[in-house]
Amino acid sequence: MVRHFLELSDAGSDGLVAILNDAVARKAARAGRPEGWVDADAPLKDRVLAMIFEKNSTRTRVSFDMAMRQLGGSALIMDAGTTQIGRGESIADTARVLSRMVDAIMIRTDDHAKIEELAHYAGVPVINGLTDRSHPCQIMADLQTLIEHGKALPGLEVAWLGDGNNVLNSIVEAAGLLGFHVRIGVPDGYDSDPAYIAAARQRGARITVTRLAQEAVRGADVVVTDTWVSMGQAGGEAKIAAMEPYQVNSALMAGAKSDALFLHCLPAHRGEEVTDGVIDGPHSVVWDEAENRIHAQKSVLRWAFGQL
Ligand code: CP
Ligand code: NVA
C-alpha cells in the first residue's frame, strides 16, 4: 500500500505522534550544523521528490527542498504553468508518468479533488502542500512548535481568529486526532467546513464557534490566525470589514493565558489579521513555526516512505 499524506487522518493518531516525536528528535540531533548538512543516517538517500506548484509559495517550496537535502535525497520543482499540466495534460496521466520518474510527489493546488485524483493514479506517495480545503503539513509544524515550547497537546485550548479557511480545517482535524480543543472566532458567513468540525467532535474534541473574538481567546493556551483572504479567494471590502473585529492585537491577546503562544502560518498581512505588536511580541513563535516546516516535513516524508 502506497502511503499518501493528503489529510492528517491518513496517518492516524499514532502516525501523527510518531511523526512529531521523530521531528523533535531529528531537529535536536542536527542542532548547530549547517542547513545543508545531511543527517548522519541519510534515510532518504537517492530518493527524489517532485514538487508541483499551482499556487505561489515561499515556505513550502524551500522547506520541502531542504527537507529532502537533509534526508540525503533531492527535490525538483515543477511550476505547473510551465509544464504540460498548464496546457491541459490530465492529472491521471501526470501521476502515471511522474510515478515512473520520481519517488514521491508533493503538490500545492486549488481543488482538493485534484490531489485525490493524483494520489489515485500515482504509484508513489503524494503529499498535500496545501489545497483550498486543507494544509496538513503546516499543522504538523505548528504542533511541533507547541510541543517544543512546552505545551502538551491533549486538553490544550486553541483559539482561531478570522477566516474559516484551509488552515483552520487542518487544525480542527488535528484536534480530533490528538485530543485538544478549538474555539473558533469567525464572522457570520465565513465559517469553516462543517465536516471537519463534525469529525473532530465525533473523536471527542470540543470545537466551539463564536462570533465574539474575545470569547474565543478567553483563557486560551494558543492563539492562531491567518490571512483574511487566501490564495484564489475573492476578498473584497465586505470581507475585510467583517474580519476587522477579529484582528489579533495586543488588547485581544491580553484575554488569553499570560503564557499563551501566538501562531501564524505566514505570510502575514501586518495591520490586518495581526498587528506588529503581536507578531513581533513576546507571545509569538512564528519564526520557530516557519523553521519547523523543514523538520516536521522530514518526518512526514519518512512516514510516507514507510520508515515510521
Ligand atoms: N505557510 C506556507 O505554506 O507558506 P508558503 O505559502 O510560503 O509556502
Ligand atoms: N490560507 C492561506 C495559507 C497560505 C499558506 C492560503 O490558502 O492562501
Side-chain angles (χ1 to χ4, degrees), residues 186-305:
V186 299
D188 195 14
Y190 298 97
D191 284 313
S192 59
D193 189 332
Y196 285 86
I197 295 179
R201 284 178 177 155
Q202 205 159 23
R203 291 183 172 121
R206 188 173 355 96
I207 312 291
T208 55
V209 180
T210 172
R211 304 297 173 213
L212 296 173
Q214 292 82 354
E215 198 174 291
V217 298
R218 192 175 300 131
D221 298 291
V222 184
V223 177
V224 196
T225 190
D226 185 15
T227 181
W228 289 340
V229 182
S230 285
M231 292 182 278
Q233 285 185 345
E237 279 176 29
K239 184 169 188 185
I240 301 298
M243 293 290 158
E244 269 163 8
Y246 302 82
Q247 180 190 66
V248 182
N249 50 40
S250 300
L252 191 65
M253 224 29 231
K257 280 194 182 141
S258 58
D259 66 346
L261 298 176
F262 173 74
L263 292 175
H264 189 311
C265 66
L266 306 174
H269 301 75
R270 291 164 176 258
E272 292 188 15
E273 75 272 6
V274 63
T275 58
D276 288 339
V278 170
I279 198 167
D280 297 328
H283 298 281
S284 175
V285 289
V286 301
W287 314 121
D288 291 339
E289 181 185 6
E291 180 191 332
N292 281 338
R293 292 295 302 278
I294 298 180
H295 305 294
Q297 285 158 201
K298 285 167 71 176
S299 301
V300 168
L301 285 159
R302 292 196 65 218
W303 175 84
F305 278 102

Side-chain angles (χ1 to χ4, degrees), residues 150-164:
K151 306 281 184 199
L153 299 179
L156 213 59
E157 296 284 347
V158 176
W160 172 274
L161 281 307
D163 191 28

